[in-house]
Structures are given as C-alpha cells and as structure tokens.
Amino acid sequence: MSNRRLPYMPLWVDDYQRDTRHLTTEEHGAYLLLLMAAWASPTNSLPDDDDMLARVAGVSLARWRKMKVIVMAFWSLDGRSKRWAQKRLKKERRLAVDRKAKASNAAASRWKDKKKDDAQAMLGQCHPSITIKEKPNGFSERAGAPKKSRKQKIEEAFADA
C-alpha cells in the first residue's frame, strides 16, 4: 500500500449502517476512530496492542477489553505482522490511491508542454472560454482612479443625511 497522503476516507453510509446496526453508540465511535486511524496509517492497519487501540478508540483499557470482541469482529489479525486490517478499508484505500495516481498522471501529461507560471495557459486548460485581458496600471478598472481623502469619504457618507 502506498503511503501517499489521502486526506479523505470514503464512507458508504448504507453499507456501514447495515453492517453495524448492533453496535452501541460508544462502539460506533470506537470503530470509526479505529477506521480513521488505520486509513491515516501508511500500512493501512493497526498494531495488535490493546493499550494503543484503547487510546485510539478513546476509551479506558478496561472498557476497551469489554468491547474489543464486538468492535474487532470487523477486523482480521495478521499473525505474522501482528497488525489488524479491515477488508473494506483496504479496498477503498487501493481505489483512492489508484484514482489519485490517475489524476496525477493526467495532470502531468496535460501540463508537460506548458510553462510552470503560464496563467493564461492554465486558465485555458481549466476554462477554455475565458481569456485574460492585459490591463495597464493594475488589475482593476479603478486602480488608476485618484484616491479620496478621509475628509472626502466622510463628507460623501453624510451627504445624503
């Protein structure tokens, strides 16, 4: 599994609710926190360490030991690596990594002949119907207008009164 940063984790609500109806609110919280920790992990898994799992789940070690059997029923323990993995999470991670790689490759091929700081080319790629018009002396029409003094601004504000 790649350790590229993936800032989002897809959650298929219908599937999640169907599979976890039997969990208490506390068990839901623990399970989701464990899923998020595994998602953020470069190995996409969690260590087989009850102290660490309890901390990640946000519960005391005593409470974790009572709920572990129920919450970890969604996970499988790899005996060799001593790590917990979740099948659906691995699948979604692979899909996200593949999507990110495809998008990166598409962007690289789209920009290979463009200069890095060519704003007109960038805009043309994103929105072909928009063009940038060069404007002298600033970027807005008002850039060349004379500045008003504070006194003029106050007089204008109270002119209608």
Side-chain angles (χ1 to χ4, degrees), residues 137 140-150 152-153 156:
N137 301 329
S140 78
E141 297 291 329
R142 298 181 318 172
K147 302 289 181 204
K148 294 181 182 177
S149 70
R150 184 174 181 188
Q152 288 172 321
K153 290 178 184 177
E156 283 182 8

Side-chain angles (χ1 to χ4, degrees), residues 36-81:
M36 289 185 270
W39 181 264
S41 165
T43 61
N44 201 211
S45 62
L46 299 169
D48 185 26
D49 176 348
D50 282 344
D51 287 329
M52 179 60 79
L53 294 173
R55 290 175 137 258
V56 171
V59 296
S60 69
L61 184 57
R63 184 69 191 119
W64 173 249
R65 287 186 174 138
K66 290 179 183 175
M67 70 167 53
K68 179 180 179 179
V69 173
I70 295 168
V71 173
M72 297 312 281
F74 300 100
W75 300 76
S76 58
L77 179 63
D78 180 347
R80 286 189 314 154
S81 69

Side-chain angles (χ1 to χ4, degrees), residues 16-58:
Y16 178 85
Q17 287 181 333
R18 183 182 55 248
D19 295 343
T20 61
R21 272 286 186 223
H22 63 286
L23 298 180
T24 66
T25 302
E26 184 179 41
E27 291 164 348
H28 275 287
Y31 181 47
L32 283 169
L33 288 169
L34 293 170
L35 283 172
M36 289 185 270
W39 181 264
S41 165
T43 61
N44 201 211
S45 62
L46 299 169
D48 185 26
D49 176 348
D50 282 344
D51 287 329
M52 179 60 79
L53 294 173
R55 290 175 137 258
V56 171

